[in-house]
Amino acid sequence: MQLHISPSLRHVTVFPGKEVREFIKVKVGSRRLSYRMLFYSILFFTFLLRFVFVMTVVDTIDGESKCSSIGCLGKRLGPKILGRTESRVPEVIYQILEEPIGKHELQGRSDIPQTLDEFMVEIKDGKSDATTFAVKLREMVTLLEQRTRNAKIQEYFYRHVASSSIPKQLHCLALRLANEHASNAAARLQLPCAELVPALVDNSYYHFVLASDNVLAAYVVATSLVRNSLRPHKVVLHIITDRKTYYPMQAWFSLHSLSPAIIEVKALHHFDWFTKGKVPVLEAMEKDQRVRSQFRGGSSAIVKNNTEKPNVIAAKLQALSPKYNSLMNHIRIHLPELFPGLDKIVFLDDDIVVQTDLSPLWDIEMNGKVNGAVETCNGEDNFVMSKRYRSYLNFSHPLISKNFDPNACAWAYGMNIFDLDAWRKTNISFTYHHWLEQNLKSDLSLWQLGTLPPGLIAFHGHVQVIDPFWHMLGLGYQENTSSADVKSAGVIHYNGRAKPWLEIAFPKLRPFWAKYVDFSDKFIKSCHIMAT
């Protein structure tokens, strides 16, 4: 890239290099660059232009001739900027630029330049000295940073609201199915039929467990699982749901058979274990909700925090999603009690899509471990695949720092092999609830909000690492996920805000989920659930 600055300092011209031109041609021309990315790109070039202008003005203030290229500037600027051996920038500029600005100092100010042109006019017409130049530069750039930060946080907040709300189409589907259950005997079939009930505890079958209160999501998981199975007659899918979703869920799978696969639909109150005495997970959730409301203040308090970076605020908003405090999400820690007759199961989240036969998972040697999972510490992206314990746990707290290694590799929930027989020989469930109690006593300060952190603690030392092919994550975080990588994965996971059934889903990635939805189905059509 080449830059030209006019002698009057009124014009800065950018001549993009070949690589930049090709990037713009490919990304913008093919509409692959989102409006948000385009906005940030414009901000980047704006900062670049300001940098060149500032450096040129610094030369003018210092009595040197003007530069018209980065190379020329590099010869004149000091070591604090471009690494040269002799600084020609007045020390007062460094001093002023390094002074902090109070968070309310710029509020209501009308004398701060709003654009580069305004800044140039003020500097030239006012014949400013180095001190005035530095003060105005610091104020203008700080104001721009504050506005950019606020815009990012506002975007994250809107996405949080969009991802936490239940679309009216899903409300419609649940209501229509509940009505169908009440009025149509065919929607009230026993699942499975009586002659197939023995298969529910037969360990020669491939047992999968799905906990969900979302009929549409469960339908896609079940359909993709069965359709890609080489031996669907050996597949048993146990669907666990809550009381309010039980009738719609039963109606859907009664009317949409996936035979020869065996589908069981049960509400939590149907489990004998769940109805006996106190259930630790319910007590923990109740306490967690009370403490959370008292100490966290919800999404409003998170957004108002002026000290944390936008990506940290985004992570906290994500963790406030109802899913992370849902009984459907916590119940996995009690799988051995829920399925006392089973030796091994594969647990599936309801935001995954199965793209291959999963029966080979039963051939993976677990080596006495309980949880077969994909590690998430060997990737380059910051959202998903570069996570270690320090990404989730608060190592400034002595309880965490003395018990765990911050560099230990994290792993993923969403598609997990659980050896229930090995699990019953451990104290994993007890450990999970013990640390939930410790977190409550510490005012929720031991880890980020969510269910993965206590899971990392409870299963510590009990994880068998499996091939990343079996679980590709991040389709709800990263729009730039490679389609080729998605196609080649055994299971894809839309973890993140951009769930495929929401309007904020990434258009390029939603079809991998939507291909398993029959949009001609009468219930789907009547609720206006669309392919795009």
Side-chain angles (χ1 to χ4, degrees), residues 145-156:
E145 288 177 343
Q146 290 179 356
R147 288 177 174 174
T148 302
R149 180 183 183 278
N150 291 338
K152 285 183 179 180
I153 292 174
Q154 200 71 12
E155 177 197 356
Y156 291 142

Side-chain angles (χ1 to χ4, degrees), residues 294-524:
Q294 180 180 352
F295 290 98
R296 287 295 179 267
S299 57
S300 298
I302 292 174
V303 170
K304 288 179 181 177
N305 191 312
N306 291 313
T307 60
E308 291 184 318
K309 295 180 180 179
N311 63 324
V312 175
I313 289 177
K316 289 187 174 183
L317 287 173
Q318 167 69 12
L320 274 184
S321 169
K323 175 179 179 178
Y324 291 102
N325 198 40
S326 165
L327 185 57
M328 294 296 99
N329 210 31
H330 280 277
I331 202 62
R332 73 187 84 194
I333 201 64
H334 291 293
L335 288 172
E337 293 92 342
L338 294 175
F339 299 96
L342 297 182
D343 297 336
K344 181 182 289 187
I345 60 100
V346 169
F347 187 88
L348 303 173
D349 273 356
D350 64 2
D351 53 355
I352 63 101
V353 174
V354 179
Q355 300 190 132
T356 190
D357 175 46
L358 296 186
S359 60
L361 294 175
W362 270 258
D363 298 326
I364 293 177
E365 179 55 56
M366 295 288 285
N367 298 309
K369 304 293 186 181
V370 173
N371 178 6
V374 169
E375 286 187 323
T376 57
C377 63
N378 297 314
E380 296 180 356
D381 66 280
N382 293 325
F383 284 110
V384 180
M385 298 304 293
S386 58
K387 301 293 189 180
R388 297 184 181 272
Y389 272 39
R390 63 173 175 266
S391 304
Y392 299 100
L393 305 181
N394 177 18
F395 279 89
S396 64
H397 197 290
L399 265 180
I400 296 297
S401 59
K402 74 179 182 180
N403 285 286
F404 304 101
D405 176 8
N407 293 315
C409 192
W411 45 267
Y413 267 149
M415 199 296 301
N416 300 83
I417 310 166
F418 287 122
D419 186 333
L420 301 183
D421 192 40
W423 190 336
R424 295 183 184 102
K425 300 174 184 177
T426 72
N427 59 353
I428 287 174
S429 300
F430 173 82
T431 302
Y432 184 89
H433 290 294
H434 169 76
W435 280 95
L436 286 182
E437 285 289 336
Q438 294 302 312
N439 194 37
L440 291 171
K441 292 177 182 177
S442 302
D443 300 338
L444 305 181
S445 63
L446 298 187
W447 55 70
Q448 290 183 9
L449 302 177
T451 55
L452 179 56
L456 293 174
I457 292 176
F459 286 99
H460 186 61
H462 298 285
V463 176
Q464 174 64 35
V465 178
I466 63 176
D467 193 297
F469 162 79
W470 294 110
H471 191 184
M472 179 182 182
L473 297 106
L475 277 72
Y477 279 117
Q478 303 174 112
E479 185 176 14
N480 60 351
T481 301
S482 165
S483 296
D485 290 342
V486 174
K487 291 177 182 177
S488 63
V491 173
I492 56 175
H493 192 174
Y494 289 83
N495 59 313
R497 296 185 187 87
K499 302 300 184 189
W501 54 83
L502 299 176
E503 291 186 4
I504 62 173
F506 299 129
K508 186 181 75 172
L509 301 177
R510 189 173 189 267
F512 293 98
W513 177 87
K515 65 186 287 188
Y516 293 101
V517 179
D518 180 6
F519 291 99
S520 65
D521 179 84
K522 68 174 185 178
F523 295 103
I524 299 293

